mmCIF file of all heavy atoms in Angstrom:
data_model
loop_
_atom_site.group_PDB
_atom_site.id
_atom_site.type_symbol
_atom_site.label_atom_id
_atom_site.label_comp_id
_atom_site.label_asym_id
_atom_site.label_seq_id
_atom_site.Cartn_x
_atom_site.Cartn_y
_atom_site.Cartn_z
ATOM 1 N N VAL A 37 -5.508 -14.323 4.486
ATOM 2 C CA VAL A 37 -5.747 -13.663 3.201
ATOM 3 C C VAL A 37 -6.880 -14.402 2.499
ATOM 4 O O VAL A 37 -6.867 -15.624 2.401
ATOM 5 C CB VAL A 37 -4.470 -13.671 2.338
ATOM 6 C CG1 VAL A 37 -4.752 -13.137 0.948
ATOM 7 C CG2 VAL A 37 -3.369 -12.841 2.994
ATOM 8 N N VAL A 38 -7.869 -13.637 2.044
ATOM 9 C CA VAL A 38 -9.013 -14.225 1.350
ATOM 10 C C VAL A 38 -8.940 -13.814 -0.114
ATOM 11 O O VAL A 38 -8.903 -12.621 -0.436
ATOM 12 C CB VAL A 38 -10.347 -13.727 1.966
ATOM 13 C CG1 VAL A 38 -11.530 -14.371 1.253
ATOM 14 C CG2 VAL A 38 -10.385 -14.006 3.469
ATOM 15 N N SER A 46 -3.939 -11.130 -9.010
ATOM 16 C CA SER A 46 -4.283 -11.299 -7.594
ATOM 17 C C SER A 46 -3.663 -12.576 -7.034
ATOM 18 O O SER A 46 -3.202 -12.615 -5.899
ATOM 19 C CB SER A 46 -5.807 -11.357 -7.403
ATOM 20 O OG SER A 46 -6.372 -10.110 -7.696
ATOM 21 N N TYR A 49 -0.057 -11.865 -6.225
ATOM 22 C CA TYR A 49 0.048 -11.067 -4.997
ATOM 23 C C TYR A 49 -0.126 -11.953 -3.774
ATOM 24 O O TYR A 49 0.623 -11.879 -2.816
ATOM 25 C CB TYR A 49 -1.053 -10.003 -4.920
ATOM 26 C CG TYR A 49 -0.879 -8.778 -5.784
ATOM 27 C CD1 TYR A 49 -1.981 -8.228 -6.434
ATOM 28 C CD2 TYR A 49 0.341 -8.146 -5.924
ATOM 29 C CE1 TYR A 49 -1.861 -7.094 -7.228
ATOM 30 C CE2 TYR A 49 0.469 -7.015 -6.712
ATOM 31 C CZ TYR A 49 -0.632 -6.502 -7.360
ATOM 32 O OH TYR A 49 -0.517 -5.382 -8.142
ATOM 33 N N LYS A 53 2.334 -12.743 -0.709
ATOM 34 C CA LYS A 53 1.992 -12.360 0.667
ATOM 35 C C LYS A 53 2.167 -13.543 1.603
ATOM 36 O O LYS A 53 2.740 -13.407 2.685
ATOM 37 C CB LYS A 53 0.538 -11.872 0.742
ATOM 38 C CG LYS A 53 0.360 -10.442 0.308
ATOM 39 C CD LYS A 53 -1.109 -10.090 0.234
ATOM 40 C CE LYS A 53 -1.282 -8.809 -0.579
ATOM 41 N NZ LYS A 53 -2.633 -8.626 -1.095
ATOM 42 N N ILE A 94 -6.725 -9.617 8.803
ATOM 43 C CA ILE A 94 -7.554 -10.175 7.729
ATOM 44 C C ILE A 94 -7.410 -9.264 6.519
ATOM 45 O O ILE A 94 -7.604 -8.046 6.623
ATOM 46 C CB ILE A 94 -9.047 -10.226 8.131
ATOM 47 C CG1 ILE A 94 -9.241 -11.062 9.398
ATOM 48 C CG2 ILE A 94 -9.900 -10.756 6.977
ATOM 49 C CD1 ILE A 94 -10.642 -10.949 9.994
ATOM 50 N N LEU A 95 -7.081 -9.865 5.379
ATOM 51 C CA LEU A 95 -6.993 -9.102 4.134
ATOM 52 C C LEU A 95 -7.857 -9.788 3.092
ATOM 53 O O LEU A 95 -7.698 -10.986 2.849
ATOM 54 C CB LEU A 95 -5.536 -9.050 3.668
ATOM 55 C CG LEU A 95 -5.274 -8.292 2.367
ATOM 56 C CD1 LEU A 95 -3.946 -7.589 2.442
ATOM 57 C CD2 LEU A 95 -5.316 -9.216 1.165
ATOM 58 N N VAL A 96 -8.802 -9.056 2.542
ATOM 59 C CA VAL A 96 -9.604 -9.571 1.429
ATOM 60 C C VAL A 96 -9.046 -8.947 0.156
ATOM 61 O O VAL A 96 -9.086 -7.720 -0.009
ATOM 62 C CB VAL A 96 -11.094 -9.218 1.598
ATOM 63 C CG1 VAL A 96 -11.894 -9.737 0.412
ATOM 64 C CG2 VAL A 96 -11.638 -9.788 2.909
ATOM 65 N N GLN A 97 -8.503 -9.779 -0.714
ATOM 66 C CA GLN A 97 -7.865 -9.264 -1.923
ATOM 67 C C GLN A 97 -8.911 -8.606 -2.826
ATOM 68 O O GLN A 97 -9.963 -9.186 -3.115
ATOM 69 C CB GLN A 97 -7.158 -10.419 -2.649
ATOM 70 C CG GLN A 97 -6.371 -10.018 -3.872
ATOM 71 C CD GLN A 97 -5.151 -9.145 -3.558
ATOM 72 O OE1 GLN A 97 -4.557 -9.252 -2.487
ATOM 73 N NE2 GLN A 97 -4.790 -8.291 -4.483
ATOM 74 N N LEU A 98 -8.619 -7.397 -3.267
ATOM 75 C CA LEU A 98 -9.477 -6.668 -4.196
ATOM 76 C C LEU A 98 -8.846 -6.746 -5.594
ATOM 77 O O LEU A 98 -7.629 -6.888 -5.691
ATOM 78 C CB LEU A 98 -9.598 -5.206 -3.757
ATOM 79 C CG LEU A 98 -10.166 -4.980 -2.349
ATOM 80 C CD1 LEU A 98 -10.140 -3.503 -2.011
ATOM 81 C CD2 LEU A 98 -11.570 -5.557 -2.213
ATOM 82 N N PRO A 99 -9.594 -6.656 -6.655
ATOM 83 C CA PRO A 99 -11.046 -6.446 -6.725
ATOM 84 C C PRO A 99 -11.831 -7.727 -6.447
ATOM 85 O O PRO A 99 -11.292 -8.834 -6.566
ATOM 86 C CB PRO A 99 -11.245 -6.005 -8.175
ATOM 87 C CG PRO A 99 -10.118 -6.646 -8.939
ATOM 88 C CD PRO A 99 -8.965 -6.726 -7.978
ATOM 89 N N LEU A 110 -15.767 -5.086 3.353
ATOM 90 C CA LEU A 110 -14.737 -4.391 4.140
ATOM 91 C C LEU A 110 -15.303 -3.942 5.486
ATOM 92 O O LEU A 110 -14.616 -3.966 6.510
ATOM 93 C CB LEU A 110 -14.180 -3.186 3.369
ATOM 94 C CG LEU A 110 -13.459 -3.531 2.051
ATOM 95 C CD1 LEU A 110 -12.971 -2.267 1.361
ATOM 96 C CD2 LEU A 110 -12.291 -4.493 2.284
ATOM 97 N N ASP A 120 -5.370 -3.966 6.198
ATOM 98 C CA ASP A 120 -5.353 -3.131 4.991
ATOM 99 C C ASP A 120 -5.697 -1.680 5.327
ATOM 100 O O ASP A 120 -5.492 -0.795 4.494
ATOM 101 C CB ASP A 120 -6.410 -3.641 4.001
ATOM 102 C CG ASP A 120 -5.814 -4.344 2.799
ATOM 103 O OD1 ASP A 120 -4.674 -4.025 2.435
ATOM 104 O OD2 ASP A 120 -6.515 -5.204 2.236
ATOM 105 N N PHE A 122 -8.649 -0.408 5.435
ATOM 106 C CA PHE A 122 -9.708 0.064 4.532
ATOM 107 C C PHE A 122 -11.046 0.260 5.245
ATOM 108 O O PHE A 122 -11.983 0.804 4.676
ATOM 109 C CB PHE A 122 -9.928 -0.921 3.370
ATOM 110 C CG PHE A 122 -8.766 -1.026 2.402
ATOM 111 C CD1 PHE A 122 -8.678 -2.104 1.533
ATOM 112 C CD2 PHE A 122 -7.782 -0.047 2.346
ATOM 113 C CE1 PHE A 122 -7.627 -2.199 0.621
ATOM 114 C CE2 PHE A 122 -6.721 -0.140 1.449
ATOM 115 C CZ PHE A 122 -6.651 -1.221 0.582
ATOM 116 N N PRO A 139 -3.501 2.117 5.618
ATOM 117 C CA PRO A 139 -3.296 1.380 4.367
ATOM 118 C C PRO A 139 -1.812 1.244 4.000
ATOM 119 O O PRO A 139 -1.014 2.170 4.184
ATOM 120 C CB PRO A 139 -4.070 2.214 3.343
ATOM 121 C CG PRO A 139 -5.165 2.838 4.139
ATOM 122 C CD PRO A 139 -4.534 3.155 5.478
ATOM 123 N N CYS A 140 -1.478 0.064 3.466
ATOM 124 C CA CYS A 140 -0.064 -0.338 3.335
ATOM 125 C C CYS A 140 0.700 0.467 2.283
ATOM 126 O O CYS A 140 1.836 0.894 2.544
ATOM 127 C CB CYS A 140 -0.013 -1.820 2.973
ATOM 128 S SG CYS A 140 -0.874 -2.840 4.172
ATOM 129 N N THR A 141 0.130 0.661 1.106
ATOM 130 C CA THR A 141 0.868 1.387 0.060
ATOM 131 C C THR A 141 1.122 2.844 0.482
ATOM 132 O O THR A 141 2.259 3.328 0.358
ATOM 133 C CB THR A 141 0.121 1.287 -1.288
ATOM 134 O OG1 THR A 141 0.034 -0.098 -1.638
ATOM 135 C CG2 THR A 141 0.843 2.042 -2.395
ATOM 136 N N PRO A 142 0.114 3.556 1.006
ATOM 137 C CA PRO A 142 0.383 4.917 1.494
ATOM 138 C C PRO A 142 1.453 4.962 2.582
ATOM 139 O O PRO A 142 2.339 5.829 2.562
ATOM 140 C CB PRO A 142 -0.978 5.367 2.047
ATOM 141 C CG PRO A 142 -1.966 4.593 1.237
ATOM 142 C CD PRO A 142 -1.336 3.253 1.019
ATOM 143 N N ILE A 169 -7.858 3.827 -1.627
ATOM 144 C CA ILE A 169 -6.766 2.908 -1.295
ATOM 145 C C ILE A 169 -5.435 3.629 -1.198
ATOM 146 O O ILE A 169 -4.607 3.308 -0.355
ATOM 147 C CB ILE A 169 -6.712 1.758 -2.337
ATOM 148 C CG1 ILE A 169 -7.945 0.866 -2.187
ATOM 149 C CG2 ILE A 169 -5.447 0.940 -2.214
ATOM 150 C CD1 ILE A 169 -8.000 -0.303 -3.155
ATOM 151 N N VAL A 170 -5.213 4.634 -2.058
ATOM 152 C CA VAL A 170 -3.913 5.327 -2.050
ATOM 153 C C VAL A 170 -4.063 6.844 -1.854
ATOM 154 O O VAL A 170 -3.573 7.398 -0.875
ATOM 155 C CB VAL A 170 -3.081 5.040 -3.321
ATOM 156 C CG1 VAL A 170 -1.719 5.729 -3.214
ATOM 157 C CG2 VAL A 170 -2.878 3.540 -3.538
ATOM 158 N N THR A 273 4.786 -2.420 -0.052
ATOM 159 C CA THR A 273 3.394 -2.704 0.323
ATOM 160 C C THR A 273 3.311 -3.963 1.189
ATOM 161 O O THR A 273 2.689 -3.944 2.257
ATOM 162 C CB THR A 273 2.519 -2.815 -0.948
ATOM 163 O OG1 THR A 273 2.565 -1.561 -1.621
ATOM 164 C CG2 THR A 273 1.076 -3.132 -0.597
ATOM 165 N N LEU A 277 2.318 -4.439 5.108
ATOM 166 C CA LEU A 277 1.248 -5.363 5.523
ATOM 167 C C LEU A 277 1.719 -6.225 6.702
ATOM 168 O O LEU A 277 0.986 -6.434 7.681
ATOM 169 C CB LEU A 277 0.858 -6.245 4.341
ATOM 170 C CG LEU A 277 -0.113 -7.364 4.638
ATOM 171 C CD1 LEU A 277 -1.495 -6.809 4.978
ATOM 172 C CD2 LEU A 277 -0.216 -8.324 3.453
HETATM 173 N N1 GUN B 301 -5.483 -5.253 -4.553
HETATM 174 C C1 GUN B 301 -4.463 -4.487 -5.013
HETATM 175 N N2 GUN B 301 -3.820 -3.900 -3.994
HETATM 176 C C2 GUN B 301 -4.438 -4.300 -2.861
HETATM 177 C C3 GUN B 301 -4.210 -4.048 -1.478
HETATM 178 O O1 GUN B 301 -3.310 -3.302 -1.068
HETATM 179 N N3 GUN B 301 -5.063 -4.674 -0.632
HETATM 180 C C4 GUN B 301 -6.056 -5.478 -1.054
HETATM 181 N N4 GUN B 301 -6.845 -6.029 -0.141
HETATM 182 N N5 GUN B 301 -6.291 -5.740 -2.319
HETATM 183 C C5 GUN B 301 -5.490 -5.159 -3.219
#
Side-chain angles (χ1 to χ4, degrees):
V37 173
V38 181
S46 292
Y49 284 140
K53 279 173 196 160
I94 302 170
L95 180 145
V96 179
Q97 184 67 30
L98 301 176
L110 297 179
D120 252 333
F122 293 163
C140 303
T141 299
I169 292 180
V170 183
T273 298
L277 173 68

